[in-house]
């Protein structure tokens, strides 16, 4: 029985995903599906919400009516409002982890939870062995979706068995293909200058992992017997690969082809071709090869297009290929086996009858996949999902289980003032109002904070525009270390001359803190290597330090370093040494009414219990954790005013034991230290009151303070230098601005984590863990080549 016609004439269908002219497989898929649906249902208003991976976006066609900046969480909420206000009848989401911001694309959840329209989600990547966060994100996406589309039968089984998605929600709709005639390849060859030659083709965005090198290695044996063979490698280098490593992979393939004497037998077409030209290249091909390097490929648009055009396909046995090329619709060869590729190419080129029979079997099988048919399948599914949504929302329901109340709505990260304060040396210490003050030059303290902020920003948002700043700050750290003494210098004049031979113990501890973060979060091996070298070069002298704050800063750096290199026994020894020293100080000085390690509460106070809690957690020292939690809780209580606002100890007198707490001047680094410590306490204990404390300390920057005046300046992206008794300090120096940026990044990270933890308690996984840092690079995933 056909589904009821829930979509009526004039209703709206919205697609969400990347979109042409962005060069990405998902963009091509979204465009082709959107256009096919618009053609098939001309009475419907079909439009797209497009994902931008660059700040300036793209020159989109009119079909795109709303744009989301990938790493700006507020854009996702605005997109949900846009879709709700436009009263779309159905939303078709293209899900691929990499095109959405946040941990494992978790920013998307803030949009999905707010849309009040029927949702159909197409899954382009389904992992057989997801980590916990990947699994949580996909489970929550499937829970919210009314229907789920996968493109292969094995994907349906993955969803049911691994992600526990009901089979009733899942529909298998194959990847769409152009409806092209079954033509003689010779018809198109003259257009590309290959008339009279046998053409082997591979197309798609070029990146390592596609296995092209194995086809090139196979060609000498093929060319020896069939000297008319030419291999066309069609497609631009993937933009993200090009941004990170340029044309390194393409150049390596070209060099290898020349070394093998294949200069006249391999053609590199370094372009992103349009739909018409792609079909013509496919038409000219005699053979098509997809030599991917592992089985974790749940769907391949290039494979679908080639089989649908009636090409004889040779492929490695990734999951989609095993399904689509079954029943002799193609040839499968082992992974990373150039000899097998050569053998099958020779077999097909030597057996014209078998080659043509295989072409016909593939072509006939794929007629069910043409875009017109695919579009109608989606329209039928939209109707089904909409009918179910209407029925579901018309019924009286019991109140749902309460979910975590959203505690904060965070400003967008604005780096304008950070850029304004930084030159090619480092970040200026001070500012006169918003203008960098060159008189005071630079210091390692602020450079450390800047390195931490940029590394955190990269880790959260993968914004490649931040990497030049990160390199500037890392270079300053390299210049600051005196390798003979193992000490970091601190102050440098504007003339780039160091003003001292060695900085304070505090600045040295901050250096190790920032370098530990760099080791943990930097994206490139060269950066990690330099940060590791500097970290190890400065670690040894901490054994002789006598002040608790340098110990604490160093412990925070050690904790981050060990997230990447957890097995480093020497660094773990320093963690034990410094943590024991810090705990001893607390034990010797604290009392029931003064659980502190000194007779004065001074500066960067929350870093001290923060370091104890972190070290205690990873050393499995309950006594350390208890002492750290007790001190941090007390510190919070003495720094909270009658209205419940955070009110840090002022620098004009501090807080002496038995004396009165100085209320002013209040410094931004105190708010950041409290935010950081409370979030770490939450991560180590899962006690939710620490989230509330972190949030209240963060809102000190935004006006929830003793003067009810915001310190963050939305007009510049900078932060004012502190609170005086009657006003704010209008200067926007490095310390305050970086304290703000680090606090905001911490809260954004926490927000992403809590969005994962909002999964209802009747699902298999209830809590998310802090994202792990992989020492060996990205996880191998079962994915689509549409990314």
């Amino acid at each position: 029985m056909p589904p009821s016609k829930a979509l009526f004439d004039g209703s709206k269908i919205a697609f969400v995903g990347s979109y042409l002219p962005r060069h990405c497989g998902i963009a091509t898929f979204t465009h082709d599906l959107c256009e096919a649906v618009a053609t098939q249902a001309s009475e419907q208003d079909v439009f797209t919400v497009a994902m931008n991976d660059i700040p300036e976006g793209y020159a989109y066609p009119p079909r795109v009516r709303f744009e989301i900046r990938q790493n700006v969480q507020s854009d996702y909420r605005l997109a949900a409002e846009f879709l709700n206000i436009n009263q779309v009848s159905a939303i078709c989401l293209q899900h691929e982890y990499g095109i959405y911001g946040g941990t494992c694309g978790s920013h998307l959840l803030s949009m999905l939870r707010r849309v009040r329209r029927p949702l159909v989600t197409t899954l382009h990547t389904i992992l057989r062995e997801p980590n916990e966060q990947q699994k949580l994100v996909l489970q929550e996406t499937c829970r919210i979706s009314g229907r789920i589309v996968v493109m292969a039968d094995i994907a349906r089984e993955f969803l049911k068995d691994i992600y526990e998605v009901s089979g009733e929600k899942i529909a298998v709709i194959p990847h769409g293909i152009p409806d092209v005639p079954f033509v003689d390849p010779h018809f198109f060859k003259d257009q590309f200058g290959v008339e009279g030659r046998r053409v082997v083709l591979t197309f798609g965005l070029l990146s390592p992992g596609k296995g092209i090198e194995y086809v090139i290695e196979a060609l000498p044996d093929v060319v020896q017997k069939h000297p008319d063979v030419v291999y066309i490698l069609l497609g631009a280098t993937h933009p993200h690969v090009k941004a990170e490593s340029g044309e390194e992979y393409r150049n390596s393939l070209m060099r290898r082809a020349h070394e093998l004497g294949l200069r006249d037998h391999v053609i590199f077409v370094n372009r992103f071709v349009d739909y018409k030209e792609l079909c013509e290249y496919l038409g000219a091909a005699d053979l098509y090869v997809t030599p991917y390097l592992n089985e974790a490929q749940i769907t391949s648009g290039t494979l679908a297009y080639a089989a649908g055009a009636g090409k004889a396909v040779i492929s490695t046995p990734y999951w989609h290929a095993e399904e689509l090329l079954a029943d002799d619709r193609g040839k499968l060869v082992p992974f990373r086996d150039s000899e097998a590729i050569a053998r099958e190419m020779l077999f097909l080129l030597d057996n014209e009858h078998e080659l043509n029979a295989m072409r016909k079997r593939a072509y006939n099988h794929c007629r069910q996949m043409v875009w017109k048919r695919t579009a109608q399948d989606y329209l039928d599914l939209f109707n089904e999902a909409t009918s179910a949504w209407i029925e579901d929302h018309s019924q009286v329901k019991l109140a749902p289980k309460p979910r975590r109340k959203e505690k904060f709505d965070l400003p967008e990260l604005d780096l304008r003032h950070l850029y304004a304060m930084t030159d090619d040396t480092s970040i200026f210490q001070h500012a006169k109002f918003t203008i960098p003050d060159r008189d005071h030059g630079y210091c390692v303290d602020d450079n450390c904070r800047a390195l931490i902020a940029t590394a955190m920003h990269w880790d959260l948002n993968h914004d490649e525009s931040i990497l030049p700043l990160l390199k500037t700050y890392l270079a300053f750290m390299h210049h600051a270390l005196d390798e003979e003494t193992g000490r970091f210098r601190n102050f440098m004049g504007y003339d780039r001359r160091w003003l001292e031979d060695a900085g304070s113990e505090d600045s040295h501890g901050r250096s190790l803190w920032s370098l530990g973060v760099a080791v943990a979060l930097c994206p490139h091996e060269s950066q990690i290597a330099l940060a590791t070298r500097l970290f190890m070069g400065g670690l040894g002298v901490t054994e002789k330090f006598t002040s608790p704050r340098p110990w604490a800063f160093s412990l925070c750096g050690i904790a981050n370093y060990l997230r990447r290199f957890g097995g480093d026994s020497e660094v773990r020894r320093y963690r034990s040494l410094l943590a024991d020293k810090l705990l001893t100080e607390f034990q010797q000085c604290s009392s029931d009414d003064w659980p502190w390690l000194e007779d004065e509460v001074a500066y960067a106070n929350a870093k001290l219990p923060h370091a104890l809690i972190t070290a205690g957690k990873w050393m499995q020292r309950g006594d350390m954790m208890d002492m750290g939690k007790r001190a941090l809780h007390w510190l919070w209580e003495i720094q909270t005013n009658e209205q419940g606002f955070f009110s840090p100890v002022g620098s004009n007198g501090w807080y002496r034991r038995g004396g009165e707490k100085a209320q002013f001047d209040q410094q931004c680094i105190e708010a950041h230290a409290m935010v950081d410590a409370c979030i770490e306490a939450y991560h180590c204990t899962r006690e939710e009151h620490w989230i509330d404390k972190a949030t209240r300390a963060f809102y000190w920057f935004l006006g929830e303070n003793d003067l009810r005046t915001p310190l963050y300046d939305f007009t510049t992206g900078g932060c004012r230098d502190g609170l005086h008794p009657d006003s704010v300090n209008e200067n926007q120096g490095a310390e305050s601005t970086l304290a703000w940026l680090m606090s905001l990044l911490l809260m954004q990270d926490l927000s992403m984590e809590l969005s994962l933890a909002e999964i209802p308690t009747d699902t298999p996984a209830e809590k998310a863990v802090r994202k792990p840092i992989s020492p060996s690079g990205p996880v191998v995933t079962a994915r689509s080549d549409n990314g």
Side-chain angles (χ1 to χ4, degrees), residues 68-85:
I68 299 174
R69 292 167 292 178
Q70 177 176 324
N71 296 317
V72 180
Q73 195 167 13
S74 59
D75 281 9
Y76 293 82
R77 296 191 290 269
L78 294 173
E81 291 181 24
F82 178 82
L83 293 168
N84 291 333
I85 290 171

mmCIF file of all heavy atoms in Angstrom, residues 68-85:
data_model
loop_
_atom_site.group_PDB
_atom_site.id
_atom_site.type_symbol
_atom_site.label_atom_id
_atom_site.label_comp_id
_atom_site.label_asym_id
_atom_site.label_seq_id
_atom_site.Cartn_x
_atom_site.Cartn_y
_atom_site.Cartn_z
ATOM 1 N N ILE A 68 25.464 27.657 7.232
ATOM 2 C CA ILE A 68 25.955 27.386 8.585
ATOM 3 C C ILE A 68 27.473 27.356 8.547
ATOM 4 O O ILE A 68 28.065 26.608 7.757
ATOM 5 C CB ILE A 68 25.434 26.032 9.119
ATOM 6 C CG1 ILE A 68 23.909 26.025 9.198
ATOM 7 C CG2 ILE A 68 26.045 25.719 10.479
ATOM 8 C CD1 ILE A 68 23.330 24.658 9.590
ATOM 9 N N ARG A 69 28.099 28.166 9.372
ATOM 10 C CA ARG A 69 29.551 28.072 9.519
ATOM 11 C C ARG A 69 29.849 26.862 10.393
ATOM 12 O O ARG A 69 29.370 26.765 11.514
ATOM 13 C CB ARG A 69 30.098 29.350 10.134
ATOM 14 C CG ARG A 69 29.987 30.572 9.214
ATOM 15 C CD ARG A 69 30.231 31.861 9.960
ATOM 16 N NE ARG A 69 29.151 32.133 10.913
ATOM 17 C CZ ARG A 69 29.129 33.175 11.735
ATOM 18 N NH1 ARG A 69 30.127 34.038 11.726
ATOM 19 N NH2 ARG A 69 28.126 33.346 12.559
ATOM 20 N N GLN A 70 30.654 25.975 9.870
ATOM 21 C CA GLN A 70 30.850 24.660 10.462
ATOM 22 C C GLN A 70 31.183 24.706 11.947
ATOM 23 O O GLN A 70 30.665 23.900 12.733
ATOM 24 C CB GLN A 70 31.965 23.936 9.706
ATOM 25 C CG GLN A 70 32.339 22.568 10.251
ATOM 26 C CD GLN A 70 33.367 21.883 9.383
ATOM 27 O OE1 GLN A 70 33.344 22.007 8.177
ATOM 28 N NE2 GLN A 70 34.294 21.152 9.998
ATOM 29 N N ASN A 71 32.014 25.645 12.367
ATOM 30 C CA ASN A 71 32.522 25.644 13.738
ATOM 31 C C ASN A 71 31.853 26.664 14.645
ATOM 32 O O ASN A 71 32.315 26.884 15.757
ATOM 33 C CB ASN A 71 34.038 25.894 13.716
ATOM 34 C CG ASN A 71 34.790 24.789 13.010
ATOM 35 O OD1 ASN A 71 34.502 23.618 13.219
ATOM 36 N ND2 ASN A 71 35.743 25.149 12.168
ATOM 37 N N VAL A 72 30.757 27.285 14.184
ATOM 38 C CA VAL A 72 30.048 28.283 14.992
ATOM 39 C C VAL A 72 28.746 27.659 15.499
ATOM 40 O O VAL A 72 27.780 27.511 14.753
ATOM 41 C CB VAL A 72 29.764 29.551 14.177
ATOM 42 C CG1 VAL A 72 29.016 30.581 15.034
ATOM 43 C CG2 VAL A 72 31.078 30.144 13.652
ATOM 44 N N GLN A 73 28.736 27.307 16.767
ATOM 45 C CA GLN A 73 27.623 26.539 17.305
ATOM 46 C C GLN A 73 26.305 27.295 17.233
ATOM 47 O O GLN A 73 25.246 26.699 17.007
ATOM 48 C CB GLN A 73 27.932 26.122 18.743
ATOM 49 C CG GLN A 73 27.011 25.019 19.266
ATOM 50 C CD GLN A 73 27.537 24.407 20.545
ATOM 51 O OE1 GLN A 73 28.443 24.952 21.178
ATOM 52 N NE2 GLN A 73 26.993 23.278 20.946
ATOM 53 N N SER A 74 26.351 28.616 17.395
ATOM 54 C CA SER A 74 25.106 29.380 17.356
ATOM 55 C C SER A 74 24.435 29.310 15.996
ATOM 56 O O SER A 74 23.211 29.426 15.890
ATOM 57 C CB SER A 74 25.375 30.846 17.729
ATOM 58 O OG SER A 74 26.305 31.433 16.829
ATOM 59 N N ASP A 75 25.203 29.105 14.927
ATOM 60 C CA ASP A 75 24.613 28.999 13.593
ATOM 61 C C ASP A 75 23.678 27.804 13.490
ATOM 62 O O ASP A 75 22.678 27.849 12.753
ATOM 63 C CB ASP A 75 25.706 28.877 12.538
ATOM 64 C CG ASP A 75 26.345 30.214 12.186
ATOM 65 O OD1 ASP A 75 26.059 31.209 12.881
ATOM 66 O OD2 ASP A 75 27.128 30.265 11.226
ATOM 67 N N TYR A 76 23.976 26.743 14.198
ATOM 68 C CA TYR A 76 23.129 25.551 14.149
ATOM 69 C C TYR A 76 21.774 25.835 14.788
ATOM 70 O O TYR A 76 20.732 25.381 14.290
ATOM 71 C CB TYR A 76 23.812 24.382 14.857
ATOM 72 C CG TYR A 76 25.062 23.888 14.157
ATOM 73 C CD1 TYR A 76 26.289 24.533 14.329
ATOM 74 C CD2 TYR A 76 25.029 22.790 13.323
ATOM 75 C CE1 TYR A 76 27.439 24.090 13.696
ATOM 76 C CE2 TYR A 76 26.181 22.334 12.675
ATOM 77 C CZ TYR A 76 27.383 22.993 12.864
ATOM 78 O OH TYR A 76 28.517 22.550 12.233
ATOM 79 N N ARG A 77 21.778 26.592 15.880
ATOM 80 C CA ARG A 77 20.517 26.951 16.519
ATOM 81 C C ARG A 77 19.700 27.876 15.620
ATOM 82 O O ARG A 77 18.473 27.748 15.516
ATOM 83 C CB ARG A 77 20.794 27.605 17.878
ATOM 84 C CG ARG A 77 21.472 26.665 18.873
ATOM 85 C CD ARG A 77 21.491 27.239 20.276
ATOM 86 N NE ARG A 77 22.401 28.380 20.398
ATOM 87 C CZ ARG A 77 23.678 28.260 20.756
ATOM 88 N NH1 ARG A 77 24.193 27.066 20.987
ATOM 89 N NH2 ARG A 77 24.439 29.325 20.876
ATOM 90 N N LEU A 78 20.380 28.807 14.965
ATOM 91 C CA LEU A 78 19.674 29.714 14.053
ATOM 92 C C LEU A 78 19.113 28.954 12.857
ATOM 93 O O LEU A 78 18.020 29.281 12.370
ATOM 94 C CB LEU A 78 20.629 30.812 13.588
ATOM 95 C CG LEU A 78 21.104 31.790 14.667
ATOM 96 C CD1 LEU A 78 22.173 32.719 14.112
ATOM 97 C CD2 LEU A 78 19.927 32.606 15.216
ATOM 98 N N ALA A 79 19.833 27.956 12.396
ATOM 99 C CA ALA A 79 19.328 27.143 11.286
ATOM 100 C C ALA A 79 18.059 26.412 11.692
ATOM 101 O O ALA A 79 17.109 26.300 10.888
ATOM 102 C CB ALA A 79 20.398 26.149 10.835
ATOM 103 N N ALA A 80 18.023 25.905 12.927
ATOM 104 C CA ALA A 80 16.810 25.238 13.406
ATOM 105 C C ALA A 80 15.631 26.214 13.424
ATOM 106 O O ALA A 80 14.516 25.877 13.002
ATOM 107 C CB ALA A 80 17.039 24.655 14.800
ATOM 108 N N GLU A 81 15.875 27.440 13.900
ATOM 109 C CA GLU A 81 14.810 28.449 13.893
ATOM 110 C C GLU A 81 14.346 28.741 12.473
ATOM 111 O O GLU A 81 13.146 28.873 12.205
ATOM 112 C CB GLU A 81 15.309 29.741 14.552
ATOM 113 C CG GLU A 81 15.548 29.637 16.051
ATOM 114 C CD GLU A 81 16.017 30.963 16.632
ATOM 115 O OE1 GLU A 81 15.729 32.005 16.018
ATOM 116 O OE2 GLU A 81 16.671 30.951 17.687
ATOM 117 N N PHE A 82 15.305 28.839 11.547
ATOM 118 C CA PHE A 82 14.973 29.120 10.145
ATOM 119 C C PHE A 82 14.079 28.023 9.576
ATOM 120 O O PHE A 82 13.071 28.304 8.906
ATOM 121 C CB PHE A 82 16.263 29.237 9.343
ATOM 122 C CG PHE A 82 16.070 29.484 7.876
ATOM 123 C CD1 PHE A 82 15.822 30.763 7.400
ATOM 124 C CD2 PHE A 82 16.138 28.438 6.966
ATOM 125 C CE1 PHE A 82 15.637 30.998 6.047
ATOM 126 C CE2 PHE A 82 15.965 28.655 5.613
ATOM 127 C CZ PHE A 82 15.711 29.935 5.151
ATOM 128 N N LEU A 83 14.421 26.767 9.846
ATOM 129 C CA LEU A 83 13.630 25.653 9.333
ATOM 130 C C LEU A 83 12.252 25.604 9.981
ATOM 131 O O LEU A 83 11.242 25.344 9.305
ATOM 132 C CB LEU A 83 14.375 24.334 9.569
ATOM 133 C CG LEU A 83 15.668 24.166 8.766
ATOM 134 C CD1 LEU A 83 16.477 22.982 9.291
ATOM 135 C CD2 LEU A 83 15.372 23.999 7.288
ATOM 136 N N ASN A 84 12.185 25.883 11.272
ATOM 137 C CA ASN A 84 10.889 25.881 11.956
ATOM 138 C C ASN A 84 9.991 27.005 11.449
ATOM 139 O O ASN A 84 8.802 26.810 11.188
ATOM 140 C CB ASN A 84 11.093 26.013 13.466
ATOM 141 C CG ASN A 84 11.722 24.778 14.080
ATOM 142 O OD1 ASN A 84 11.573 23.673 13.554
ATOM 143 N ND2 ASN A 84 12.430 24.954 15.180
ATOM 144 N N ILE A 85 10.558 28.196 11.314
ATOM 145 C CA ILE A 85 9.772 29.349 10.861
ATOM 146 C C ILE A 85 9.263 29.141 9.445
ATOM 147 O O ILE A 85 8.143 29.534 9.099
ATOM 148 C CB ILE A 85 10.612 30.639 10.970
ATOM 149 C CG1 ILE A 85 10.821 31.006 12.441
ATOM 150 C CG2 ILE A 85 9.973 31.786 10.208
ATOM 151 C CD1 ILE A 85 11.796 32.134 12.663
#
